[in-house]
Amino acid sequence: MNTYIQVLKEDYFLAFITFGGLVYIIVLIIVLFYYLFKVFFKL
Amino acid sequence: MTRISHTQLFALIVAFEVGSTTLFALGIGAKQNAWIVIIVAYIIGLGLLWVFTQIPKYYPHRTFSEILNETLGKPLAKPLILLFSLYFLHQTTHNFYEFGALIKMTALANTPLIVILYFFIFAIIYILSLGIEVLGRTVEIFLPYIIFFMVVIAILNMFSGEFELQNLRPVLNDIPSIMGEVPRVIAFPYGETVVFLTLWHFIRQQSAIRKSTYWAVGLSTFLLILSLIQIIAVLGAELASRTEIPLLETLLSINIAEIITNLDSIGVFLMFIGGFYKTAVHFLGFSLAMVWFFERHNPNWVIRIGGILLPLFSMYRFSSLDDQRWKGFETGVYVILIYSFIPILLMLILHLKNKTMKRKESHQ
């Protein structure tokens, strides 16, 4: 884990796409739950 | 719009998959069980490929950007397209630098790296500017040579006298180390095929995408296992894990009656062709995503301007081959896993959205 953070500290480009990707996974999970909610409650 | 056939897609995926995997002894962390790691990763990778090839089934002949816009809406789709384009650029620089450095190391020792990179990128710019059908036709020409050379290398290795099947034993002696290596191999090379999401709309026969992809990945996995078994049988697991380019080392060990020897030129050929297509496909993915982000139609301006700047950016990012490999092994693999996980969520959203739409239509 330490090496992972060390690499991210050295390469800001890599850090940007890593965190961007993680943030988007969270966003997509929220969207997924929104649609799941719609399907489940037949809205 | 220009289109490519499913045979060309097949050739492109095989060249892409075999591309940089010939450089590494994949899954060598599991020692002599590395080939088992590949089989396990292949089975899981097939699931991943099922997801990637399911997306164009919902929207055939539509670009990845159009699919994202329709699924998530423009405000959410735009940043995601930008992120994907940057991820493809990241992959491009990794492959581009690596192959440039390896060519310098193996064939053009006295040539400055920047010169090799510029010659490399000029060929890529030229082919990509002519369109994807030219990329498809060239790979169709080169693929038989790639397969032929890989099979010939395997046969020659078996008769070289250095081939020791004992090096592959004991089998399955360390299952935790096998499972530890599997995520890396899922990401590289199977997860990397996420870039083909940007190319699916170019395929003429949309119904053949999944079939061609599965056959291509099956063949490349076979070639991969074949080269891995040779590497371990000739070098042994310990030496294979320490060597910079294991396939080249196995080639150098071939000496049949002092006649068939010094076959490293075949290795350089395989490396260059594989690296070329791997870089070109990622670079095309980056260019297309950039064009979609700026809502333009012609990717040629990104290909040309981006291509001219690419060697400078690659040299800026990586100070040496060791630096590139360190960054690639420590974090690059996880980045690939992140970006190959996003399509899984997208596919689920697409499925649920389609379900709600169908229900609404049936109510009306």
Side-chain angles (χ1 to χ4, degrees):
Chain A
M1 194 66 189
N2 281 341
T3 343
Y4 190 88
I5 290 163
Q6 203 184 334
V7 174
L8 293 185
K9 273 182 183 171
E10 277 203 19
D11 194 338
Y12 293 129
F13 181 66
L14 190 66
F16 178 76
I17 54 172
T18 307
F19 289 117
L22 287 174
V23 167
Y24 242 90
I25 285 179
I26 296 166
V27 171
L28 290 179
I29 289 172
I30 294 168
V31 176
L32 181 68
F33 272 103
Y34 167 74
Y35 280 110
L36 266 176
F37 185 78
K38 266 181 116 175
V39 169
F40 195 72
F41 290 103
K42 295 183 177 173
L43 292 170
Chain B
M1 186 199 275
T2 50
R3 301 232 186 263
I4 59 169
S5 68
H6 59 279
T7 327
Q8 287 166 338
L9 173 73
F10 170 84
L12 206 55
I13 295 175
V14 176
F16 178 88
E17 293 278 295
V18 172
S20 53
T21 36
T22 52
L23 297 181
F24 304 100
L26 282 184
I28 200 69
K31 303 287 173 195
Q32 71 278 7
N33 294 313
W35 61 278
I36 299 168
V37 174
I38 308 276
I39 293 173
V40 177
Y42 168 64
I43 294 164
I44 300 168
L46 281 182
L48 210 55
L49 286 166
W50 185 87
V51 173
F52 297 163
T53 52
Q54 185 64 20
I55 292 173
K57 280 191 189 285
Y58 287 109
Y59 296 101
H61 288 300
R62 304 284 289 274
T63 64
F64 186 49
S65 148
E66 287 169 347
I67 296 172
L68 285 180
N69 280 333
E70 280 209 17
T71 317
L72 303 171
K74 247 186 183 179
L76 279 181
K78 277 252 168 177
L80 189 58
I81 294 168
L82 180 69
L83 276 174
F84 263 106
S85 79
L86 294 178
Y87 160 72
F88 296 142
L89 178 65
H90 154 79
Q91 287 293 103
T92 310
T93 51
H94 258 279
N95 290 306
F96 185 58
Y97 186 88
E98 186 168 37
F99 283 96
L102 287 172
I103 285 164
K104 181 178 165 59
M105 194 198 289
T106 53
L108 302 167
N110 297 322
T111 313
L113 181 59
I114 192 89
V115 176
I116 298 171
L117 292 181
Y118 265 105
F119 272 103
F120 200 167
I121 200 66
F122 283 145
I124 292 176
I125 292 174
Y126 180 65
I127 287 191
L128 292 184
S129 305
L130 293 173
I132 188 154
E133 73 276 25
V134 176
L135 188 74
R137 280 202 299 266
T138 53
V139 77
E140 237 178 351
I141 296 167
F142 281 120
L143 185 70
Y145 293 101
I146 296 176
I147 297 171
F148 174 75
F149 280 136
M150 288 195 81
V151 173
V152 165
I153 290 170
I155 294 167
L156 290 176
N157 257 323
M158 278 176 205
F159 294 104
S160 67
E162 305 282 331
F163 194 87
E164 288 288 340
L165 268 180
Q166 281 297 328
N167 286 342
L168 291 161
R169 289 184 185 168
V171 180
L172 275 175
N173 62 327
D174 189 4
I175 292 173
S177 76
I178 295 175
M179 297 327 281
E181 280 292 306
V182 167
R184 277 178 188 276
V185 184
I186 293 172
F188 173 80
Y190 301 109
E192 281 186 316
T193 43
V194 70
V195 69
F196 282 91
L197 281 174
T198 59
L199 306 183
W200 292 144
H201 66 285
F202 287 119
I203 315 304
R204 203 172 292 126
Q205 212 181 328
Q206 292 279 301
S207 55
I209 289 177
R210 181 169 288 161
K211 202 176 164 189
S212 306
T213 310
Y214 275 13
W215 276 108
V217 173
L219 176 65
S220 37
T221 304
F222 169 73
L223 291 173
L224 232 147
I225 293 173
L226 195 71
S227 78
L228 203 56
I229 287 176
Q230 288 167 62
I231 289 168
I232 298 169
V234 172
L235 300 179
E238 204 58 50
L239 185 57
S241 64
R242 285 159 210 256
T243 316
E244 201 138 31
I245 317 167
L247 188 72
L248 208 65
E249 290 297 321
T250 57
L251 276 170
L252 287 170
S253 71
I254 296 173
N255 186 354
I256 300 173
E258 298 285 337
I259 300 169
I260 303 169
T261 184
N262 292 328
L263 296 174
D264 47 328
S265 53
I266 294 178
V268 175
F269 170 84
L270 283 175
M271 265 162 43
F272 187 78
I273 299 298
F276 181 87
Y277 285 102
K278 196 137 199 175
T279 309
V281 169
H282 274 124
F283 189 53
L284 182 62
F286 158 72
S287 308
L288 288 170
M290 266 291 156
V291 165
W292 295 329
F293 181 74
F294 289 109
E295 293 182 14
R296 303 277 168 165
H297 297 288
N298 191 357
N300 278 358
W301 64 276
V302 185
I303 291 171
R304 285 169 194 159
I305 298 169
I308 288 166
L309 296 174
L310 193 66
L312 299 174
F313 184 55
S314 303
M315 297 280 282
Y316 166 74
R317 272 197 85 189
F318 309 114
S319 56
S320 64
L321 186 64
D322 289 333
D323 182 48
Q324 184 270 342
R325 286 212 165 160
W326 178 61
K327 285 173 181 167
F329 279 118
E330 293 300 335
T331 52
V333 175
Y334 302 106
V335 176
I336 299 170
L337 284 178
I338 290 172
Y339 282 87
S340 29
F341 183 64
I342 289 176
I344 299 176
L345 292 172
L346 275 175
M347 207 264 312
L348 289 172
I349 294 170
L350 263 169
H351 179 72
L352 290 175
K353 199 172 178 183
N354 269 21
K355 215 173 172 179
T356 47
M357 295 273 269
K358 271 183 192 164
R359 209 182 46 218
K360 266 185 188 172
E361 276 168 17
S362 66
H363 278 296
Q364 277 170 357

